[in-house]
Amino acid sequence: MTFPNTVRYNFGMKNWTSKDIKSLREKYNLSQYALSNLLGVSGNYIYLLEKGVRKPSKTVKILLSRIEEELKERRGR
């Protein structure tokens, strides 16, 4: 059954590691605070993710993947 007004995300969810998160942030010259604002989380949470103390939830992984795509598109323009 399909629902006509639903949004489907067809991108694959990357298994984000602490190194991946830091690499993404540095690649696009984002501070931890700037990335936290894009994700809607605290700056301290980004710090903990990058140190490997916390692991990103499924929701955060999806948001990171979407943000990465958006940043790639913006850079390509």
Side-chain angles (χ1 to χ4, degrees):
M1 172 181 233
T2 59
F3 299 96
N5 294 326
T6 58
V7 176
R8 294 182 184 212
Y9 296 100
N10 293 326
F11 55 89
M13 184 176 62
K14 182 176 175 180
N15 187 21
W16 289 89
T17 66
S18 58
K19 290 179 183 179
D20 293 333
I21 296 167
K22 187 171 184 173
S23 176
L24 171 74
R25 189 175 59 75
E26 290 175 344
K27 180 178 180 178
Y28 294 101
N29 298 316
L30 297 170
S31 65
Q32 288 178 339
Y33 180 75
L35 181 57
S36 72
N37 281 336
L38 290 172
L39 286 170
V41 299
S42 72
N44 189 54
Y45 183 65
I46 299 299
Y47 170 81
L48 294 174
L49 288 174
E50 288 185 1
K51 293 297 179 191
V53 175
R54 299 281 309 266
K55 293 190 185 234
S57 67
K58 183 176 180 181
T59 302
V60 170
K61 289 178 185 179
I62 290 169
L63 290 171
L64 283 166
S65 295
R66 185 66 185 124
I67 288 168
E68 181 180 43
E69 284 187 8
E70 287 284 326
L71 292 170
K72 281 180 185 176
E73 287 177 17
R74 287 184 188 176
R75 183 175 269 184
R77 292 181 188 171

